[in-house]
Amino acid sequence: MEKDSMNPGSFRLGLALEGTGWHPASWLVSSVTDAEEVFKGSYWTNWGRAAASGGIDFVTLEDGLSLQSDRFGTADQAHDRVRGRLDPVVTAAVLLATTDISEVVVSRNVTHSNPFHVAAQIGSLAAIGPGRVVWRPQVSADARDAAAVGGPPTPQLQPEDVYVPTRIARRLRDLFRDAEDYVRTVSDLWRTFPADSLSSGDTFLHRDMVAPLQLTGRERYPAAGPLTVPAPSTPKVAVLAHHALEPYRLAAAVADRVFVTPSQEYPVPSLLTAFREIERLTPDATRTEVYADVAVVLGDTDEHAKARLARLNEVAGFVWAPDTLLFVGTSDRLVQELACWRAQFGLRGVRLRPAVLSDDGDRIVQEVVVA
């Protein structure tokens, strides 16, 4: 995709980095043969540099308190899948320090973590890469996450719930409302230690500029601060929102950016209409940039892409059904689809999830952006 053809000021492309790819069988067909590579900084640095040189606008990093699983909400015994992740904050620090990628979107769990710690972590990243850090607060409805940290049990989604918006809203209403308070607390904490309180003159610290919060009744997250690190800039907030009231409301209330998840049943225009209406009804909401989340399997031809997906599903032993639209086809056709979405619906950008990073990620960098 030629940058000029998409108007670089109005449409942004993101690459979702996740292990060896988003398809459960990605490890078995990936060019990566040594499992240790996935847990080395050089692996992520190489992808950050490739994305930056190819014109990708941002990369995203996932968080997880428990091991990945093919079975929703329960552990499996698979030994031929990628299991485990590096800490996304540490990985982001490496990417910000060693690559020219314009932006890193860092996921961080908000259901089982402390807002003071997350505010300090993301604020520290903002000091490494001012203006290059976006935080994605992640709500957890997995009982294994609560068990991993010894926290209280949380409402848990069932596999079929992911595809039924009303079930998501009903089961997770309290978690999303807690997340809204959490994000507001983090945003407030970033202002307790402003960067200009540090001086290059005779005075190292202007103490009167560093002060705790005046708590306003947020009993769920009473962290007052001040932070122990300065926040040179306030990072943007992005929310991944499946098509349901509560995640849309969270995005409208506290996010600068929302990743929506289109599907055959809920195409992009219907999602945009629904989100903008919820945004309109949300008190104090400001205009949120809308991005689409798309899983991709690419090939030399449409038939080649379909054959690749069939092979991946055969190796996995089941049909991959991601929680968002799955595009299967050529890079050229993907470019045309994205151009149509931008022109017709005014999307701000898209995040692409490569099924196999060494295959689909390479095609995204080399063909979707540069072709």
Side-chain angles (χ1 to χ4, degrees), residues 188-305:
D188 289 343
L189 284 168
W190 282 332
R191 291 188 283 273
T192 62
F193 195 160
D196 54 7
S197 62
L198 299 177
S199 174
S200 59
D202 295 335
T203 301
F204 179 76
L205 175 67
H206 298 288
R207 294 179 60 88
D208 58 321
M209 298 178 66
V210 180
L213 297 175
Q214 297 297 316
L215 296 180
T216 57
R218 290 184 199 154
E219 297 178 0
R220 178 73 173 84
Y221 299 111
L227 285 183
T228 53
V229 295
S233 61
T234 301
K236 290 185 176 181
V237 175
V239 167
L240 173 65
H242 298 299
H243 185 54
L245 171 62
E246 295 302 328
Y248 276 16
R249 188 183 180 283
L250 173 65
V254 299
D256 304 285
R257 177 185 311 176
V258 59
F259 296 109
V260 297
T261 55
S263 64
Q264 296 296 328
E265 185 178 3
Y266 299 106
V268 171
S270 66
L271 297 188
L272 281 169
T273 299
F275 177 74
R276 291 304 183 199
E277 179 62 14
I278 291 171
E279 184 180 58
R280 185 182 68 82
L281 296 172
T282 301
D284 302 322
T286 56
R287 189 78 170 177
T288 306
E289 296 178 345
V290 180
Y291 289 63
D293 226 40
V294 182
V296 297
V297 178
L298 301 175
D300 297 332
T301 64
D302 286 347
E303 291 70 25
H304 179 221

Side-chain angles (χ1 to χ4, degrees), residues 41-335:
S42 57
Y43 177 80
W44 300 91
T45 295
N46 289 340
W47 274 110
R49 288 173 177 167
S53 64
I56 294 292
D57 296 293
F58 62 93
V59 297
T60 66
L61 302 172
E62 304 303 309
D63 193 11
L65 298 177
S66 52
L67 293 178
Q68 304 96 312
S69 174
D70 288 348
R71 295 183 296 194
F72 189 89
T74 59
D76 60 27
Q77 301 300 318
H79 298 285
D80 56 357
R81 307 283 198 263
V82 174
R83 295 292 182 259
R85 295 184 179 97
L86 293 179
D87 186 288
V89 171
V90 176
T91 307
V94 172
L95 290 178
L96 291 167
T98 61
T99 77
D100 294 326
I101 190 68
S102 298
E103 193 176 77
V104 180
V105 181
V106 187
S107 300
R108 207 47 160 172
N109 184 286
V110 299
T111 307
H112 302 293
S113 62
N114 183 292
F116 184 91
H117 297 156
V118 170
Q121 291 169 351
I122 304 299
S124 297
L125 290 179
I128 297 172
R132 299 169 61 200
V133 178
V134 175
W135 171 43
R136 180 168 82 83
Q138 186 180 66
V139 174
S140 170
D142 190 330
R144 296 177 304 145
D145 288 349
V149 299
T154 59
Q156 185 176 3
L157 286 180
Q158 300 303 312
E160 62 273 14
D161 293 342
V162 176
Y163 306 100
V164 184
T166 54
R167 290 181 180 174
I168 296 176
R170 183 172 64 249
R171 291 186 188 274
L172 305 187
R173 182 177 293 112
D174 290 342
L175 290 184
F176 277 100
R177 290 180 180 176
D178 282 348
E180 182 179 337
D181 279 348
Y182 190 111
V183 174
R184 293 189 189 281
T185 299
V186 169
S187 297
D188 289 343
L189 284 168
W190 282 332
R191 291 188 283 273
T192 62
F193 195 160
D196 54 7
S197 62
L198 299 177
S199 174
S200 59
D202 295 335
T203 301
F204 179 76
L205 175 67
H206 298 288
R207 294 179 60 88
D208 58 321
M209 298 178 66
V210 180
L213 297 175
Q214 297 297 316
L215 296 180
T216 57
R218 290 184 199 154
E219 297 178 0
R220 178 73 173 84
Y221 299 111
L227 285 183
T228 53
V229 295
S233 61
T234 301
K236 290 185 176 181
V237 175
V239 167
L240 173 65
H242 298 299
H243 185 54
L245 171 62
E246 295 302 328
Y248 276 16
R249 188 183 180 283
L250 173 65
V254 299
D256 304 285
R257 177 185 311 176
V258 59
F259 296 109
V260 297
T261 55
S263 64
Q264 296 296 328
E265 185 178 3
Y266 299 106
V268 171
S270 66
L271 297 188
L272 281 169
T273 299
F275 177 74
R276 291 304 183 199
E277 179 62 14
I278 291 171
E279 184 180 58
R280 185 182 68 82
L281 296 172
T282 301
D284 302 322
T286 56
R287 189 78 170 177
T288 306
E289 296 178 345
V290 180
Y291 289 63
D293 226 40
V294 182
V296 297
V297 178
L298 301 175
D300 297 332
T301 64
D302 286 347
E303 291 70 25
H304 179 221
K306 291 175 183 177
R308 286 192 59 232
L309 177 59
R311 174 57 178 161
L312 283 166
N313 289 339
E314 179 185 4
V315 171
F318 57 89
V319 175
W320 184 38
D323 57 353
T324 193
L325 181 70
L326 174 58
F327 177 90
V328 184
T330 65
S331 298
D332 287 343
R333 195 160 66 80
L334 176 60
V335 169

